[in-house]
Amino acid sequence: MTMRHTTKARRGAAAAVLAAVMALTAAGCGDDGGGGGKAGGDGAGTRASGKASAPPGEAENRPQDQPPSGAIGEMKGPDGIAVAITSVVRDEGGFVTVNGTLTNGGSRPFNAIHWLSKETEMKSRSSVSGASLVDASGKKRYLVLRDTDGECLCSTGLTNIKPNESRPVFAQFPAPPADVTEVDFQLPTMPSVHVKISG
């Protein structure tokens, strides 16, 4: 009889221990999982992703085909290089000025030597002098304007742009006819981007 009571007591104790272990396991899974875990889950998640503090609208949160906030178009080229077009404005003097931001999203410094014009008399070797505007309907291409010294009316000195660095860029072109309101902006080595002309 004593043996029977001892066996029952042992079984009862084992059941109690098993129930306690299962309760702790369930509580531990709940903290690490979907509930967000106030004790350590948030910190671990933040460290692992490195994106928790990024504001909404950052590049990693937006669709691939959508330009960044404030831009009317974006070109993405090799090695993480991107150009966000912020405005294409028709001026009264018969020009169209394209403004944008060049960002190096790659891991190496960037030099814009492939974006220069093929003209040999150009002074700057790192510029957007090879850019063009294309009026597809009128079948015309407009090249970057030059000043009297043979320099382009565009951003120059685009050298040693470090990873995660951004720089403003611009280029001026002869204006297409007034009825042309949309053009393709092109840069060598980059995909073209379709933009609207304002002004």
Side-chain angles (χ1 to χ4, degrees):
M1 199 157 161
T2 304
M3 293 270 298
R4 196 177 298 162
H5 284 301
T6 303
T7 304
K8 284 184 180 178
R10 284 182 184 163
R11 286 181 186 164
V17 169
L18 182 60
V21 169
M22 290 178 67
L24 287 173
T25 303
C29 289
D31 284 345
D32 291 340
K38 301 202 184 206
D42 286 343
T46 301
R47 285 191 299 274
S49 69
K51 297 178 183 176
S53 61
E58 290 295 322
E60 61 268 12
N61 294 329
R62 62 184 165 88
Q64 290 294 320
D65 59 346
Q66 182 179 341
S69 177
I72 60 173
E74 184 180 36
M75 315 166 81
K76 291 184 178 180
D79 301 322
I81 301 302
V83 177
I85 307 300
T86 53
S87 67
V88 180
V89 181
R90 187 187 299 271
D91 301 320
E92 291 182 1
F95 310 112
V96 166
T97 303
V98 176
N99 292 291
T101 302
L102 162 64
T103 301
N104 182 0
S107 58
R108 297 177 296 180
F110 173 73
N111 298 305
I113 56 173
H114 299 295
W115 292 355
L116 73 151
S117 168
K118 293 180 180 177
E119 298 173 56
T120 56
E121 67 271 12
M122 292 296 296
K123 292 182 180 179
S124 175
R125 307 309 296 166
S126 296
S127 69
V128 293
S129 60
S132 61
L133 289 183
V134 176
D135 170 16
S137 60
K139 298 181 179 178
K140 288 187 179 179
R141 178 183 299 272
Y142 299 86
L143 303 179
V144 178
L145 292 167
R146 275 58 172 163
D147 63 18
T148 54
D149 293 327
E151 190 60 272
C152 73
L153 296 179
C154 67
S155 295
T156 60
L158 298 175
T159 60
N160 197 31
I161 301 172
K162 297 177 176 58
N164 299 317
E165 182 182 354
S166 295
R167 292 193 193 174
V169 292
F170 83 97
Q172 265 192 340
F173 302 88
D179 62 342
V180 176
T181 58
E182 297 184 11
V183 290
D184 291 318
F185 178 71
Q186 297 183 342
L187 267 175
T189 76
M190 302 284 279
S192 63
V193 60
H194 194 73
V195 290
K196 291 186 177 182
I197 302 174
S198 62

